Coordinates of all heavy atoms in Angstrom, one line a residue:
A27 N 6.5 -29.0 -4.6 CA 5.6 -28.8 -5.8 C 4.2 -29.1 -5.5 O 3.9 -30.0 -4.7 CB 6.2 -29.6 -7.0
S28 N 3.3 -28.4 -6.2 CA 1.8 -28.6 -6.0 C 1.3 -29.7 -6.9 O 0.1 -30.0 -6.8 CB 1.1 -27.3 -6.2 OG 1.4 -26.8 -7.5
G29 N 2.1 -30.3 -7.7 CA 1.7 -31.4 -8.5 C 2.9 -32.0 -9.3 O 4.0 -31.6 -9.1
P30 N 2.6 -33.1 -10.1 CA 3.7 -33.7 -10.8 C 4.2 -32.8 -12.0 O 3.5 -31.8 -12.4 CB 3.1 -35.0 -11.4 CG 1.6 -34.6 -11.4 CD 1.3 -33.7 -10.3
A31 N 5.4 -33.1 -12.5 CA 5.9 -32.3 -13.6 C 5.0 -32.5 -14.8 O 4.4 -33.6 -15.0 CB 7.3 -32.8 -14.0
R32 N 4.9 -31.5 -15.6 CA 4.0 -31.5 -16.8 C 4.8 -31.2 -18.0 O 5.7 -30.4 -18.0 CB 2.9 -30.5 -16.6 CG 1.9 -30.4 -17.8 CD 0.8 -29.5 -17.6 NE 0.0 -29.2 -18.8 CZ -1.0 -28.3 -18.9 NH1 -1.4 -27.7 -17.8 NH2 -1.6 -28.2 -20.1
D33 N 4.4 -31.9 -19.1 CA 5.1 -31.7 -20.4 C 4.2 -30.7 -21.2 O 3.0 -30.9 -21.3 CB 5.2 -33.0 -21.2 CG 6.2 -33.9 -20.5 OD1 7.2 -33.5 -20.0 OD2 5.9 -35.2 -20.4
F34 N 4.9 -29.7 -21.8 CA 4.2 -28.8 -22.7 C 4.7 -28.9 -24.1 O 5.9 -29.0 -24.3 CB 4.4 -27.3 -22.2 CG 3.7 -27.1 -20.9 CD1 4.4 -27.2 -19.7 CD2 2.4 -26.7 -20.9 CE1 3.8 -26.9 -18.5 CE2 1.7 -26.4 -19.7 CZ 2.4 -26.5 -18.5
A35 N 3.8 -28.9 -25.1 CA 4.2 -29.0 -26.5 C 4.9 -27.7 -26.9 O 4.7 -26.7 -26.3 CB 3.0 -29.3 -27.4
P36 N 5.6 -27.7 -28.0 CA 6.2 -26.5 -28.5 C 5.2 -25.3 -28.7 O 4.1 -25.6 -29.3 CB 6.8 -26.9 -29.9 CG 7.1 -28.3 -29.7 CD 6.0 -28.9 -28.9
D37 N 5.5 -24.2 -28.1 CA 4.7 -23.0 -28.2 C 3.4 -23.1 -27.5 O 2.5 -22.2 -27.6 CB 4.4 -22.6 -29.7 CG 5.7 -22.3 -30.4 OD1 6.6 -21.6 -29.9 OD2 5.8 -22.8 -31.6
E38 N 3.2 -24.1 -26.7 CA 1.9 -24.3 -26.0 C 1.7 -23.2 -24.9 O 2.7 -22.9 -24.2 CB 1.8 -25.7 -25.3 CG 0.5 -25.9 -24.6 CD 0.4 -27.3 -24.0 OE1 1.3 -28.1 -24.3 OE2 -0.6 -27.6 -23.2
H39 N 0.5 -22.7 -24.8 CA 0.2 -21.6 -23.8 C 0.3 -22.3 -22.4 O -0.2 -23.4 -22.1 CB -1.2 -21.1 -24.0 CG -1.8 -20.3 -22.9 ND1 -1.5 -19.0 -22.7 CD2 -2.6 -20.7 -21.9 CE1 -2.1 -18.6 -21.6 NE2 -2.8 -19.6 -21.1
I40 N 0.9 -21.5 -21.5 CA 1.1 -22.0 -20.1 C 0.3 -21.1 -19.1 O -0.5 -21.6 -18.3 CB 2.6 -22.1 -19.7 CG1 3.3 -23.0 -20.6 CG2 2.7 -22.5 -18.2 CD1 4.8 -23.1 -20.3
F41 N 0.4 -19.8 -19.2 CA -0.4 -18.9 -18.4 C -0.4 -17.6 -19.2 O 0.4 -17.3 -20.0 CB 0.2 -18.7 -17.0 CG 1.6 -18.2 -16.9 CD1 1.9 -16.9 -16.9 CD2 2.6 -19.2 -16.9 CE1 3.2 -16.5 -16.9 CE2 4.0 -18.8 -16.8 CZ 4.3 -17.4 -16.8
D42 N -1.5 -16.8 -18.8 CA -1.7 -15.5 -19.6 C -1.7 -14.3 -18.6 O -2.0 -14.4 -17.4 CB -3.0 -15.6 -20.3 CG -3.1 -14.6 -21.5 OD1 -2.1 -13.9 -21.7 OD2 -4.1 -14.6 -22.2
V43 N -1.5 -13.1 -19.2 CA -1.6 -11.9 -18.5 C -3.1 -11.7 -17.9 O -4.0 -12.0 -18.6 CB -1.3 -10.7 -19.4 CG1 -1.6 -9.4 -18.7 CG2 0.1 -10.7 -19.9
G44 N -3.1 -11.4 -16.7 CA -4.4 -11.2 -16.0 C -5.0 -12.4 -15.4 O -6.1 -12.4 -14.7
E45 N -4.4 -13.6 -15.6 CA -4.9 -14.8 -15.0 C -4.6 -14.9 -13.5 O -3.5 -14.7 -13.0 CB -4.2 -16.0 -15.7 CG -4.6 -17.4 -15.3 CD -3.9 -18.5 -16.0 OE1 -3.5 -18.2 -17.1 OE2 -3.8 -19.6 -15.4
R46 N -5.7 -15.2 -12.8 CA -5.6 -15.3 -11.3 C -5.2 -16.7 -11.0 O -5.5 -17.7 -11.7 CB -6.9 -15.0 -10.6 CG -7.3 -13.6 -10.5 CD -8.6 -13.4 -9.8 NE -9.0 -12.1 -9.6 CZ -8.7 -11.3 -8.6 NH1 -8.0 -11.8 -7.6 NH2 -9.2 -10.1 -8.5
H47 N -4.5 -16.9 -9.9 CA -4.0 -18.1 -9.3 C -3.1 -18.9 -10.3 O -3.1 -20.2 -10.3 CB -5.2 -19.0 -8.9 CG -6.1 -18.3 -8.0 ND1 -5.8 -18.0 -6.7 CD2 -7.4 -17.8 -8.1 CE1 -6.8 -17.4 -6.1 NE2 -7.8 -17.2 -6.9
A48 N -2.4 -18.2 -11.2 CA -1.5 -18.9 -12.1 C -0.3 -19.4 -11.3 O 0.3 -18.7 -10.4 CB -1.0 -17.9 -13.1
A49 N 0.1 -20.6 -11.5 CA 1.2 -21.2 -10.8 C 2.5 -20.6 -11.3 O 2.6 -20.1 -12.4 CB 1.2 -22.7 -11.1
A50 N 3.5 -20.7 -10.4 CA 4.9 -20.5 -10.8 C 5.4 -21.8 -11.3 O 5.1 -22.9 -10.7 CB 5.7 -20.0 -9.6
W51 N 6.3 -21.8 -12.3 CA 6.8 -23.1 -12.9 C 8.3 -23.2 -12.8 O 9.0 -22.2 -13.2 CB 6.3 -23.2 -14.4 CG 4.8 -23.3 -14.5 CD1 3.9 -22.3 -14.6 CD2 4.1 -24.5 -14.6 NE1 2.6 -22.8 -14.7 CE2 2.7 -24.2 -14.7 CE3 4.4 -25.9 -14.6 CZ2 1.7 -25.1 -14.8 CZ3 3.4 -26.8 -14.7 CH2 2.1 -26.5 -14.8
L52 N 8.8 -24.3 -12.4 CA 10.2 -24.6 -12.3 C 10.6 -25.4 -13.6 O 10.1 -26.6 -13.7 CB 10.6 -25.3 -11.1 CG 12.1 -25.8 -11.0 CD1 13.0 -24.6 -11.1 CD2 12.3 -26.5 -9.6
V53 N 11.4 -24.9 -14.5 CA 11.7 -25.6 -15.7 C 12.7 -26.7 -15.4 O 13.7 -26.5 -14.8 CB 12.3 -24.6 -16.7 CG1 12.6 -25.3 -18.1 CG2 11.3 -23.4 -17.0
L54 N 12.3 -27.9 -15.9 CA 13.2 -29.1 -15.7 C 13.9 -29.4 -17.1 O 15.0 -29.8 -17.1 CB 12.4 -30.3 -15.3 CG 11.7 -30.1 -13.9 CD1 10.9 -31.4 -13.6 CD2 12.7 -29.8 -12.8
K55 N 13.2 -29.1 -18.2 CA 13.8 -29.4 -19.5 C 13.1 -28.5 -20.5 O 11.9 -28.1 -20.4 CB 13.5 -30.9 -19.9 CG 14.2 -31.3 -21.2 CD 14.1 -32.8 -21.4 CE 12.7 -33.1 -21.9 NZ 12.6 -34.6 -22.3
G56 N 13.9 -28.0 -21.5 CA 13.3 -27.1 -22.5 C 13.3 -25.7 -22.0 O 14.2 -25.3 -21.2
A57 N 12.3 -24.9 -22.4 CA 12.3 -23.5 -22.0 C 10.9 -23.0 -21.9 O 9.9 -23.5 -22.6 CB 13.1 -22.7 -23.0
I58 N 10.7 -21.9 -21.1 CA 9.5 -21.1 -21.1 C 9.8 -19.7 -21.5 O 10.7 -19.1 -21.0 CB 8.8 -21.1 -19.7 CG1 8.3 -22.5 -19.2 CG2 7.7 -20.1 -19.6 CD1 7.8 -22.5 -17.8
E59 N 9.1 -19.2 -22.5 CA 9.3 -17.9 -23.0 C 8.3 -16.9 -22.3 O 7.1 -17.1 -22.5 CB 9.2 -17.8 -24.5 CG 10.3 -18.6 -25.2 CD 10.2 -18.5 -26.7 OE1 9.2 -17.9 -27.2 OE2 11.1 -19.1 -27.4
L60 N 8.8 -15.9 -21.6 CA 7.9 -15.0 -20.9 C 7.8 -13.7 -21.6 O 8.8 -13.2 -22.2 CB 8.5 -14.7 -19.5 CG 8.7 -15.9 -18.6 CD1 9.3 -15.5 -17.2 CD2 7.4 -16.6 -18.3
V61 N 6.6 -13.2 -21.7 CA 6.4 -11.9 -22.4 C 5.4 -11.0 -21.6 O 4.7 -11.5 -20.7 CB 5.7 -12.2 -23.8 CG1 6.6 -13.0 -24.7 CG2 4.3 -12.9 -23.7
R62 N 5.5 -9.8 -21.9 CA 4.5 -8.8 -21.3 C 3.8 -8.1 -22.4 O 4.3 -8.0 -23.5 CB 5.2 -7.8 -20.3 CG 6.2 -6.9 -21.0 CD 6.8 -5.9 -20.1 NE 7.8 -5.0 -20.7 CZ 7.4 -3.9 -21.3 NH1 6.2 -3.5 -21.4 NH2 8.4 -3.1 -21.8
R63 N 2.6 -7.6 -22.0 CA 1.9 -6.8 -23.0 C 0.8 -6.0 -22.3 O 0.5 -6.2 -21.1 CB 1.2 -7.7 -24.0 CG 0.1 -8.6 -23.5 CD -0.7 -9.3 -24.6 NE -1.7 -10.2 -24.1 CZ -1.6 -11.4 -23.7 NH1 -0.4 -12.0 -23.9 NH2 -2.6 -12.1 -23.3
D64 N 0.3 -5.0 -23.0 CA -0.9 -4.2 -22.6 C -1.8 -4.1 -23.7 O -1.6 -4.6 -24.8 CB -0.5 -2.9 -22.0 CG 0.3 -2.0 -22.9 OD1 -0.2 -1.9 -24.1 OD2 1.3 -1.4 -22.6
A65 N -2.9 -3.4 -23.5 CA -3.9 -3.3 -24.5 C -3.5 -2.5 -25.7 O -4.2 -2.5 -26.8 CB -5.2 -2.8 -23.9
L66 N -2.5 -1.7 -25.6 CA -2.1 -0.8 -26.7 C -0.9 -1.3 -27.5 O -0.6 -0.8 -28.5 CB -1.8 0.5 -26.1 CG -2.9 1.2 -25.3 CD1 -2.4 2.6 -24.8 CD2 -4.1 1.3 -26.2
H67 N -0.2 -2.3 -27.0 CA 1.1 -2.7 -27.6 C 1.1 -4.2 -27.8 O 0.5 -5.0 -27.1 CB 2.3 -2.3 -26.8 CG 2.3 -0.8 -26.5 ND1 1.8 -0.3 -25.4 CD2 2.8 0.2 -27.3 CE1 2.0 1.0 -25.4 NE2 2.6 1.4 -26.5
P68 N 1.9 -4.7 -28.8 CA 2.1 -6.2 -29.0 C 2.9 -6.7 -27.9 O 3.5 -6.0 -27.1 CB 2.8 -6.2 -30.4 CG 3.5 -4.9 -30.5 CD 2.6 -3.9 -29.8
E69 N 3.0 -8.0 -27.9 CA 3.9 -8.7 -26.9 C 5.3 -8.3 -26.9 O 5.9 -8.1 -28.0 CB 3.8 -10.2 -27.1 CG 2.4 -10.8 -26.7 CD 2.4 -12.3 -26.8 OE1 3.4 -12.9 -27.3 OE2 1.4 -12.9 -26.3
T70 N 5.9 -8.1 -25.8 CA 7.3 -7.7 -25.6 C 8.0 -8.8 -24.9 O 7.6 -9.1 -23.7 CB 7.4 -6.4 -24.9 OG1 6.7 -5.4 -25.6 CG2 8.9 -6.0 -24.8
P71 N 9.0 -9.4 -25.4 CA 9.7 -10.5 -24.7 C 10.4 -10.0 -23.4 O 10.9 -8.8 -23.3 CB 10.8 -10.9 -25.7 CG 10.4 -10.5 -27.0 CD 9.6 -9.2 -26.8
I72 N 10.3 -10.8 -22.3 CA 10.9 -10.5 -21.1 C 12.2 -11.3 -20.9 O 13.3 -10.8 -20.8 CB 10.0 -10.7 -19.9 CG1 8.8 -9.9 -19.9 CG2 10.8 -10.5 -18.6 CD1 7.7 -10.2 -18.9
V73 N 12.1 -12.6 -21.0 CA 13.2 -13.5 -20.9 C 12.8 -14.9 -21.3 O 11.6 -15.2 -21.3 CB 13.7 -13.5 -19.4 CG1 12.7 -14.2 -18.5 CG2 15.1 -14.1 -19.3
T74 N 13.7 -15.7 -21.7 CA 13.5 -17.1 -22.0 C 14.2 -17.9 -20.8 O 15.4 -17.8 -20.6 CB 14.1 -17.6 -23.3 OG1 13.4 -16.9 -24.4 CG2 13.9 -19.0 -23.5
E75 N 13.4 -18.6 -20.1 CA 13.9 -19.4 -18.9 C 14.1 -20.8 -19.3 O 13.2 -21.5 -19.9 CB 12.9 -19.3 -17.8 CG 12.7 -17.8 -17.3 CD 12.0 -17.7 -16.0 OE1 10.9 -18.4 -15.9 OE2 12.4 -16.9 -15.1
T76 N 15.3 -21.3 -18.9 CA 15.6 -22.7 -19.3 C 15.7 -23.5 -18.0 O 15.4 -23.1 -16.9 CB 17.0 -22.7 -20.0 OG1 18.0 -22.0 -19.3 CG2 16.8 -22.0 -21.4
A77 N 16.3 -24.8 -18.1 CA 16.3 -25.7 -17.0 C 16.9 -25.1 -15.7 O 18.0 -24.4 -15.8 CB 17.1 -26.9 -17.4
G78 N 16.2 -25.2 -14.6 CA 16.7 -24.7 -13.3 C 16.2 -23.3 -13.0 O 16.4 -22.8 -11.9
Q79 N 15.5 -22.7 -14.0 CA 14.9 -21.4 -13.7 C 13.4 -21.5 -13.5 O 12.7 -22.5 -13.9 CB 15.2 -20.4 -14.9 CG 16.6 -20.1 -15.0 CD 16.9 -19.1 -16.2 OE1 16.7 -19.4 -17.3 NE2 17.4 -17.9 -15.8
F80 N 12.8 -20.5 -12.9 CA 11.4 -20.5 -12.5 C 10.6 -19.2 -12.9 O 11.2 -18.2 -12.9 CB 11.2 -20.7 -11.0 CG 12.0 -19.8 -10.1 CD1 11.5 -18.6 -9.8 CD2 13.3 -20.2 -9.7 CE1 12.2 -17.7 -9.0 CE2 14.0 -19.3 -8.9 CZ 13.5 -18.1 -8.6
S81 N 9.4 -19.4 -13.3 CA 8.6 -18.2 -13.7 C 7.9 -17.6 -12.4 O 8.0 -18.2 -11.3 CB 7.5 -18.7 -14.6 OG 6.5 -19.5 -14.0
G82 N 7.2 -16.5 -12.6 CA 6.5 -15.9 -11.5 C 7.1 -14.6 -11.0 O 8.3 -14.3 -11.2
E83 N 6.3 -13.9 -10.3 CA 6.7 -12.7 -9.5 C 5.8 -12.5 -8.3 O 5.2 -13.5 -7.9 CB 6.8 -11.5 -10.4 CG 5.5 -11.1 -11.2 CD 4.7 -10.1 -10.5 OE1 5.2 -9.1 -10.0 OE2 3.5 -10.3 -10.4
L84 N 5.7 -11.4 -7.7 CA 5.0 -11.2 -6.5 C 3.5 -11.6 -6.5 O 2.9 -12.0 -5.5 CB 5.1 -9.8 -5.9 CG 6.5 -9.4 -5.5 CD1 6.6 -7.9 -5.1 CD2 7.0 -10.2 -4.3
A85 N 2.9 -11.5 -7.7 CA 1.5 -11.8 -7.8 C 1.3 -13.3 -7.5 O 0.2 -13.7 -7.0 CB 1.0 -11.5 -9.2
Q86 N 2.3 -14.1 -7.8 CA 2.1 -15.6 -7.6 C 2.1 -15.9 -6.1 O 1.6 -17.0 -5.7 CB 3.3 -16.3 -8.2 CG 3.0 -16.8 -9.7 CD 2.7 -15.6 -10.6 OE1 3.5 -14.6 -10.6 NE2 1.6 -15.6 -11.3
L87 N 2.5 -15.1 -5.2 CA 2.5 -15.4 -3.8 C 1.1 -15.4 -3.2 O 0.8 -16.0 -2.2 CB 3.3 -14.3 -3.0 CG 4.8 -14.5 -3.0 CD1 5.5 -13.4 -2.2 CD2 5.2 -15.9 -2.4
S88 N 0.2 -14.6 -3.9 CA -1.2 -14.4 -3.3 C -2.3 -14.8 -4.3 O -3.5 -14.7 -3.9 CB -1.3 -13.0 -2.9 OG -1.1 -12.1 -4.0
G89 N -1.9 -15.3 -5.4 CA -3.0 -15.7 -6.4 C -3.6 -14.5 -7.1 O -4.6 -14.6 -7.7
R90 N -2.9 -13.3 -7.1 CA -3.4 -12.1 -7.8 C -3.2 -12.3 -9.3 O -2.4 -13.2 -9.7 CB -2.8 -10.9 -7.3 CG -3.3 -10.4 -5.9 CD -2.6 -9.2 -5.4 NE -3.2 -8.6 -4.3 CZ -3.0 -9.0 -3.0 NH1 -2.2 -10.0 -2.8 NH2 -3.6 -8.4 -2.0
A91 N -3.8 -11.4 -10.1 CA -3.6 -11.5 -11.5 C -2.2 -11.3 -12.0 O -1.5 -10.4 -11.5 CB -4.5 -10.4 -12.2
T92 N -1.7 -12.3 -12.8 CA -0.3 -12.2 -13.2 C -0.1 -11.1 -14.2 O -1.0 -10.7 -15.0 CB 0.1 -13.6 -13.8 OG1 1.5 -13.5 -14.2 CG2 -0.7 -13.9 -15.1
L93 N 1.1 -10.6 -14.2 CA 1.5 -9.4 -15.1 C 2.2 -9.9 -16.4 O 2.5 -9.1 -17.2 CB 2.3 -8.4 -14.3 CG 1.6 -7.7 -13.2 CD1 2.6 -7.0 -12.3 CD2 0.6 -6.7 -13.8
A94 N 2.5 -11.1 -16.5 CA 3.2 -11.7 -17.7 C 2.5 -12.9 -18.2 O 1.6 -13.4 -17.6 CB 4.6 -12.0 -17.3

Side-chain angles (χ1 to χ4, degrees):
S28 54
R32 179 177 167 183
D33 294 321
F34 292 93
D37 301 318
E38 182 179 352
H39 167 82
I40 300 176
F41 56 89
D42 200 3
V43 172
E45 182 178 334
R46 284 183 178 268
H47 306 291
W51 294 86
L52 174 59
V53 181
L54 301 179
K55 187 172 72 172
I58 293 178
E59 296 183 353
L60 301 179
V61 299
R62 63 176 179 86
R63 66 170 180 270
D64 59 48
L66 303 180
H67 303 95
E69 290 186 347
T70 302
I72 299 174
V73 70
T74 297
E75 297 189 317
T76 56
Q79 294 183 295
F80 50 87
S81 69
E83 54 97 43
L84 290 174
Q86 271 58 53
L87 281 179
S88 56
R90 286 178 170 81
T92 184
L93 292 168

